[in-house]
Amino acid sequence: MCQSHPIPAAAPSQSSPITHPGFATARIWLGYRRPRPLRDLLSATAEPPPPDPDDIDEGNDDVGFSESARTNAETPYQSTPVALELALILGLTRAIEAAGRRPGARGTLAHIGGWSDPAVPRLLETMLATSLLSEALLHADARRTAPALIAAPRSANNPRGLAEAQASWLARISARLMENDAVILLGASRADLTDELRALCELDLILPRPDRALARALIALFFADHPSLAEAVAALPSDEALGRLTGLQLTTAFRSETPDAAVTKLAAYVAVAAPITTGPAGLDAVAGQETAVAQMRRLAADMAAWRAGTLRWAEVPRSVIFHGPPGTGKTLLAQAFAAEAHLPLIATSFADCQKAGHMGDMLGALEAAVAEAEALAPSVFFLDELDGFGSRDSSDVGRNRTYMRAIITGLLRQLDRLAATEGVVVIGATNDLAAIDPAIRRAGRFDATVAVPPPGRTGLATILSRQLRAAPGDTALAAAIATSAERLIGTSGAEAAALARAALTRARAASRALTPADLIAELDARHPAVAAEALRRIALHEAGHVVVGLLSGLPAPLSLRLGRGNGETSWPAPPFHTFATARAQLRTLLAGRAAEAICLGAASSGAGEGPMSDLAQATALAVRLETEWGMGDGGLIWHPAAPLPATQTAWLRPKLVHLLNVADREARALIATHRAEVEALADALIAAREMVGAGLAQALVPLRRKIAARRDLRGSNNDGTKGNVIPFGAR
């Protein structure tokens, strides 16, 4: 394995730029990159003699500048990226000093990476090819063969081209090593190498990002003896801010005529590239997501322990996928975690990468973001819209299957690269966890998945209070917030924040401070109250699900909520299904509609609204039971899950109708027998609006007692279910 040598921040005592490693080397390089008229002028007056090799060597073996090296580089100063060149010299020398050895010895493989700017590897390759720098920074001189400098292949426009470029790159490395040449890789990653080459890599130098020490050195190199030098150095932005500079920004800033102007440009550039972590103050900024916040607090503590050296990186659970409906705070969680852990956040998304262009550009954009996370490590890499990458086995891929396979393969390569980098926490976000390719979701790439559901009433009230900046003693506003939170149950935190902003806008339009009436007026306009009759129907519907589920032997639900125009019952996901559990779930899915019919005389359309409705889920379950699980009359032949139009086929439709009709009859029978329990639970839900944890468990005690009593009296049915469960019926 390569030995990684991350670069620590410069010590505060190293305030003089002359103490920066490589300063003398950079000064010589700068002298040879200036325009010839200026060099001639210096030569005609009092040009100092070249420094001794010992001064330039920076602690390395016996390497100095040869006479041939002192005739290089005639390119004018103003037309070349001299500042970036000097930054690379200073950074590489600092990395070499940290490692205690230089790359380039014969028969060895080394890697120089880190700074993610796309111009860095190609520019470094050009610079190190000159004897001026190769003799000063590499283990090479005129008496030995110069190292082979091999840059990573660029992303190709098609999967075949990318694979061919990668194979050619690896073959070239192997061939040079076989000839006992020195090989230095530029801009690649350890994850790009084969296992064989990874074992041969003896040195891994990480170029540091720009910081105040490097900026001080550059100012001293470009503006030596300028009267405003000290003031400019004092006004430099922070290390973290300077670390976000690109090579182009660095070069442009140091083309200024004075150090003050250069620092002003640097400050302007870093202000535009302000990190996303400056928003939330930490995980305390996230309301209504107690489970997710608790898990991320543990990860933040682990990161602190790792940085302190008391925890090995292999013990840190460093990757997670947030999944849940839109607007529930997945992005906010990533931002808040980065702020809590005091880590830079590098954020991108499927759409951000896709807008870069064709496949090669898209993969290149993803690779650039990953490289930046590597360079800034320890850091947080946040990839939003993870479901946009899709699944290689999805039936929706169609003619684009080859293209999507290549895109997903590219993503897997980058996730493996991140997994091989110590200090990078990887966070993905998705609205549809099931749409993500299993190879992406597997442990090692993402160690955990964390649900981010709509916040409960308490979380919604907290979001509203924070957005409105409610004073603790304002009881009238607190009552309006409580009313609003109750009516918003089932919606997202983003909806609550939007309501608060609308109320504040209403108050500003009236040229006065916010009043409770402003909030209630916006609440009525955006989320009108539900009529009592409709609310009771929804409560009976959800209570029917719960009662039939428990009577059918399913585990207790996790939560029960009565929202604006809909209800929500959250159940633990089963690890698998047997025929009995599939029947129980079919009954439970149809029990809401059955409760409406039994208690109110007729069912509503609510059970069939949309692809995630009760009827849609029940139909999909019945299709899988018949076509995938070998539990129906079709035998043991496996068919992929049929889309809904397949329910119209002659052989499948009668089977599905039978399964669903029997489940509906059983659900109605259970509701009729236990109508009192259904109505009591519905009344409790209307009063509470939200039942979770101990409150939900207490509400279910009477029903559990009745189930236990009937089980003792009646024993078990022939199909293995308890006595209070109606048998599924003859097939």
Side-chain angles (χ1 to χ4, degrees):
M1 292 292 291
C2 294
Q3 298 179 14
S4 178
H5 298 281
I7 307 302
S13 60
Q14 297 178 337
S15 57
S16 173
I18 299 177
T19 63
H20 196 293
F23 186 84
T25 304
R27 184 167 53 190
I28 295 297
W29 180 262
L30 178 62
Y32 282 93
R33 301 298 277 173
R34 290 186 183 276
R36 176 171 290 279
L38 178 58
R39 289 172 53 195
D40 291 343
L41 177 62
L42 292 173
S43 178
T45 54
E47 184 178 20
D52 293 331
D54 290 339
D55 294 333
I56 300 172
D57 192 30
E58 301 295 337
N60 296 324
D61 300 339
D62 57 350
V63 180
F65 289 113
S66 66
E67 288 301 320
S68 61
R70 297 190 179 102
T71 61
N72 291 339
E74 303 290 343
T75 308
Y77 157 72
Q78 291 292 341
S79 62
T80 57
V82 181
L84 180 56
E85 293 172 353
L86 296 177
L88 294 178
I89 294 171
L90 294 168
L92 181 56
T93 312
R94 185 173 163 191
I96 290 171
E97 183 183 74
R101 54 184 298 199
R102 289 175 290 150
R106 289 186 65 86
T108 62
L109 176 62
H111 167 243
I112 300 175
W115 198 1
S116 63
D117 192 290
V120 166
R122 307 296 171 178
L123 183 59
L124 197 59
E125 183 178 16
T126 302
M127 294 168 61
L128 292 179
T130 67
S131 58
L132 179 68
L133 288 185
S134 64
E135 293 179 21
L137 300 178
L138 306 182
H139 199 290
D141 60 25
R143 295 166 294 177
R144 293 192 291 266
T145 304
L149 303 170
I150 304 178
R154 298 174 183 268
S155 298
N157 296 343
N158 59 79
R160 179 177 299 177
L162 180 59
E164 290 176 352
Q166 185 78 2
S168 174
W169 178 69
L170 293 170
R172 183 183 173 196
I173 296 170
S174 299
R176 296 300 296 263
L177 289 173
M178 189 68 75
E179 296 295 328
N180 199 33
D181 290 337
V183 178
I184 300 176
L185 306 180
L186 302 173
S189 167
R190 295 187 300 276
D192 297 328
L193 300 173
T194 62
D195 291 341
E196 178 187 33
L197 292 176
R198 200 176 296 121
L200 295 175
C201 184
E202 298 181 2
L203 186 61
D204 191 7
L205 300 176
I206 301 176
L207 289 171
R209 300 280 303 186
D211 57 12
R212 288 177 62 89
L214 183 140
R216 283 197 301 265
L218 290 177
I219 290 173
L221 286 166
F222 281 103
F223 309 106
D225 301 325
H226 194 282
S228 64
L229 191 65
E231 292 80 1
V233 168
L236 281 169
S238 66
D239 286 343
E240 190 276 333
L242 290 171
R244 300 192 303 273
L245 288 172
T246 67
L248 177 60
Q249 290 172 329
L250 199 68
T251 296
T252 303
F254 280 95
R255 283 177 176 154
S256 304
E257 296 183 358
T258 65
D260 295 30
V263 172
T264 299
K265 286 185 179 180
L266 290 175
Y269 297 155
V270 299
V272 172
I276 199 168
T277 53
T278 57
L283 289 168
D284 287 339
V286 181
Q289 299 295 343
E290 291 79 9
T291 301
V293 166
Q295 181 155 341
M296 299 314 290
R297 284 195 195 282
R298 291 194 294 270
L299 179 53
D302 284 346
M303 287 298 294
W306 171 75
R307 296 172 85 175
T310 60
L311 185 67
R312 295 186 304 116
W313 181 248
E315 300 176 53
V316 178
R318 52 193 176 272
S319 53
V320 62
I321 297 177
F322 295 141
H323 63 96
T328 53
K330 298 181 288 294
T331 300
L332 178 63
L333 267 167
Q335 297 171 359
F337 167 76
E340 181 88 8
H342 304 289
L343 297 174
L345 178 64
I346 297 84
T348 188
S349 66
F350 176 79
D352 286 340
C353 296
Q354 191 179 46
K355 71 183 182 183
H358 53 65
M359 179 190 295
D361 294 329
M362 179 179 181
L363 294 177
L366 177 62
E367 184 174 8
V370 169
E372 184 177 3
E374 284 183 326
L376 293 177
S379 61
V380 179
F381 179 77
F382 177 56
L383 181 57
D384 202 358
E385 302 165 351
L386 197 55
D387 52 294
F389 291 91
S391 174
R392 290 169 292 186
D393 299 325
S394 172
S395 59
D396 297 334
V397 172
R399 292 184 300 175
N400 294 327
R401 184 175 299 274
T402 301
Y403 177 87
M404 293 308 300
R405 280 181 176 272
I407 292 294
I408 293 173
T409 300
L411 172 61
L412 295 177
R413 176 171 170 261
Q414 297 305 322
L415 291 175
D416 289 343
R417 177 176 173 179
L418 289 168
T421 305
E422 286 198 5
V424 178
V425 175
V426 182
I427 300 177
T430 177
N431 297 335
D432 186 1
L433 189 63
I436 300 174
D437 193 281
I440 298 173
R441 291 175 53 186
R442 74 161 176 81
R445 292 191 174 115
F446 284 101
D447 292 337
T449 57
V450 175
V452 186
R457 177 166 52 186
T458 302
L460 291 165
T462 301
I463 293 170
L464 288 169
S465 296
R466 289 178 178 175
Q467 290 284 330
L468 298 173
R469 298 181 180 179
D474 193 340
T475 56
L477 183 57
I481 288 174
T483 299
S484 302
E486 182 176 283
R487 201 180 297 180
L488 287 170
I489 290 174
T491 63
S492 67
E495 285 283 355
L499 173 63
R501 288 192 294 269
L504 291 169
T505 300
R506 178 183 286 265
R508 285 195 300 271
S511 300
R512 52 175 167 74
L514 177 77
T515 67
D518 294 321
L519 180 58
I520 296 301
E522 286 298 329
L523 178 69
D524 290 338
R526 301 167 70 94
H527 304 279
V530 180
E533 295 80 3
L535 204 62
R536 178 162 180 76
R537 178 179 290 275
I538 297 169
L540 287 167
H541 183 110
E542 298 305 320
H545 285 310
V546 174
V547 169
V548 171
L550 291 178
L551 290 171
S552 297
L554 296 183
L558 302 174
S559 63
L560 190 57
R561 291 187 172 93
L562 185 59
R564 189 186 65 84
N566 58 15
E568 178 190 273
T569 305
S570 175
W571 300 85
F576 55 83
H577 272 301
T578 64
F579 190 41
T581 62
R583 297 178 340 188
Q585 189 164 345
L586 280 175
R587 284 193 292 272
T588 303
L589 285 167
L590 298 179
R593 187 174 185 276
E596 292 183 50
I598 296 298
C599 299
L600 299 176
S604 69
S605 62
E609 294 285 354
M612 294 304 296
S613 65
D614 297 341
L615 288 179
Q617 292 185 63
T619 303
L621 177 61
V623 169
R624 299 192 72 185
L625 190 149
E626 284 285 350
T627 63
E628 287 190 355
W629 298 341
M631 297 178 182
D633 294 337
L636 298 180
I637 297 176
W638 181 87
H639 306 275
L644 289 181
T647 61
Q648 306 302 321
T649 60
W651 71 272
L652 184 57
R653 181 180 174 82
K655 301 178 184 299
L656 300 182
V657 169
H658 174 75
L659 284 170
L660 296 174
N661 281 343
V662 171
D664 180 60
R665 289 199 301 269
E666 293 173 352
R668 287 173 183 251
L670 285 172
I671 295 294
T673 303
H674 298 276
R675 178 171 177 172
E677 286 82 2
V678 172
E679 292 183 338
L681 183 58
D683 290 339
L685 180 58
I686 292 173
R689 296 298 182 100
E690 181 180 66
M691 305 173 76
V692 295
L696 177 58
Q698 184 63 34
L700 298 179
V701 166
L703 180 60
R704 287 187 176 280
R705 287 175 178 167
K706 183 170 289 190
I707 292 174
R710 294 198 175 189
R711 181 181 298 127
D712 293 339
L713 289 173
R714 299 176 57 185
S716 299
N717 292 317
N718 293 331
D719 69 343
T721 57
K722 296 300 179 181
N724 59 323
V725 178
I726 296 178
F728 190 74
R731 294 183 58 80

